Amino acid sequence: MEKPRTRKVARELQIQTIKATARRLLDQRGASELSLREVAREMNQTSSALYRYFANRDELLTALILDAYNDLGASTEDAEAVVARSNRRERWLVATRTIRRWALQHPHEYALVYGSPIPGYHAPVETIVAATRVTNVLGRIINDHFQEHPTAFDPSSEKRVAEFFELENLRFFMPNVPAEMLVKGIGAWTQVFGFVSFELFGHYENSVRDFEAYFDEVVTRLGHDVGIF
Amino acid sequence: MEKPRTRKVARELQIQTIKATARRLLDQRGASELSLREVAREMNQTSSALYRYFANRDELLTALILDAYNDLGASTEDAEAVVARSNRRERWLVATRTIRRWALQHPHEYALVYGSPIPGYHAPVETIVAATRVTNVLGRIINDHFQEHPTAFDPSSEKRVAEFFELENLRFFMPNVPAEMLVKGIGAWTQVFGFVSFELFGHYENSVRDFEAYFDEVVTRLGHDVGIF
DNA sequence: ACAAAAAGAGAGCAGTGCTCTTGCTTTTTG
DNA sequence: CAAAAAGCAAGAGCACTGCTCTCTTTTTGT
């Protein structure tokens, strides 16, 4: 074990170790079976010692949720960043495939984040920011298209959509996307995660044979729907 | 003289009471907080007594899952059955709205069924049957349309789709729907539940202002997509 | 060098799922 | 119709959990 230089560093290191250990156990057992005592045992420590770093189990879970959002977000950003900005089709495919692949590789973390929320748990602000990252990747691809192919906003559509959307928020990330396409965009976002959840949680059993192929099919259609290729 | 079977009746009644009590607590606390001991306490009984009726906590949860599927299925069937069979648009709207309303009225039961699955839990066969009910309502509406407006199956589409779908299974409930529309149908199904999950689990926060209106918008578009109106 | 702050250990409380034994009641059967 | 079998409830108990409290050890700033 390396000797940490300062207490602050040691503390940060300890927090990382706890989270890493917890993540390891999470991947084996799932969120509801994650036990603070087992994390401590795994680290050759007392459970009470962990309470110096996380006030309770929920706080640890929140930290894991935050990490999961950021990991998924960063993975998607990185994967998509490699593709030429003008190649909208490939960007869309790469981004959505990365989301699915990440979910399959981290099923319990995906479930933690996109499955049923912990009862009584309310997402703190930082979580919301982290949660936005994946979504923004998809949004940026769509927006880039309409930035390059400017489309006039239809006032009546704008007005109608503004009644059920938080238009200001959506336009913060997709300023060039007309209302009509915002609706389709949010729909595509919903469907991508709906797909992944259905696949992961077993609802496609007896319906889908080749998930990979069907996912590509769906995602290609969605790309057409939102008008980016 | 009929031989007395009060014991059998009593047993069934007891099972129903346990489930009802559990459901009540579930609605208050959520699945992961549901405690067998608390159910027993609520019934003025010992926890060990409950083990005569359910071998373990998971078995009780499975029973609740089964009931939830059937309740959602029956609600949707009943609501849709009232509408004239020829009025496809209304049937579609009523069915999908019923699904959403049921979810909002029974959030914890919805989460139990469509949220993250219990770790290590594998759905028994009866569950699969019950799970099919809602889906079949949607499928039947689509199929009814293509039964009335027969559409030739495009062999190349059929072949392509058969590679990722379990076509035999899907055609069992939707024999008249061409492959192309099966893809869109499954997509619509995914999107409806993706929407409800996103709404219920808080992922539409900051994006959607009026869920009711947006849901109608989405569901109307889906109806057009699958070609039934 | 020393007091203050931080961290860990250990005991303990209340809660959980689940098992086993012990009596009691109902049903089945010889 | 009584005896045997089966069903049911209760209570004690085990191993686990989250979490708190107190006490001891280690580290740090002055």
Side-chain angles (χ1 to χ4, degrees), chain B residues 50-141:
Chain B
L50 298 199
Y51 285 84
R52 299 251 165 222
Y53 305 93
F54 297 95
N56 50 45
R57 191 174 170 277
D58 269 14
E59 207 171 272
L60 173 57
L61 280 178
T62 302
L64 292 179
I65 288 176
L66 199 67
D67 285 4
Y69 271 126
N70 277 314
D71 193 34
L72 170 60
S75 298
T76 312
E77 286 165 4
D78 293 353
E80 188 258 357
V82 175
V83 186
R85 276 179 65 83
S86 62
N87 191 348
R88 236 82 71 193
R89 182 191 192 96
E90 195 60 20
R91 284 171 70 192
W92 181 259
L93 290 179
V94 164
T96 52
R97 281 182 192 146
T98 303
I99 293 171
R100 174 170 173 269
R101 190 150 20 90
W102 187 91
L104 293 178
Q105 282 168 348
H106 310 84
H108 287 112
E109 275 164 281
Y110 179 88
L112 189 65
V113 162
Y114 287 100
S116 354
I118 315 299
Y121 166 81
H122 254 83
V125 191
E126 329 132 11
T127 314
I128 296 175
V129 175
T132 314
R133 288 178 70 174
V134 219
T135 311
N136 283 353
V137 175
L138 300 182
R140 200 172 339 109
I141 299 173

Side-chain angles (χ1 to χ4, degrees), chain A residues 21-58:
Chain A
T21 310
R23 202 155 22 230
R24 235 184 54 229
L25 296 176
L26 184 73
D27 283 342
Q28 294 169 16
R29 288 161 172 68
S32 70
E33 312 263 282
L34 180 65
S35 139
L36 263 175
R37 285 181 115 111
E38 193 176 6
V39 173
R41 230 177 289 130
E42 207 77 8
M43 297 173 61
N44 293 314
Q45 276 205 320
T46 333
S47 70
S48 58
L50 297 199
Y51 283 85
R52 300 256 172 223
Y53 304 93
F54 296 95
N56 50 45
R57 190 175 171 275
D58 269 13

Side-chain angles (χ1 to χ4, degrees), chain B residues 4 6-7 34-38 41 47-48 51 55-57:
Chain B
T6 77
R7 195 144 228 178
L34 180 65
S35 139
L36 263 175
R37 285 180 116 110
E38 193 176 6
R41 228 177 290 132
S47 69
S48 59
Y51 285 84
N56 50 45
R57 191 174 170 277

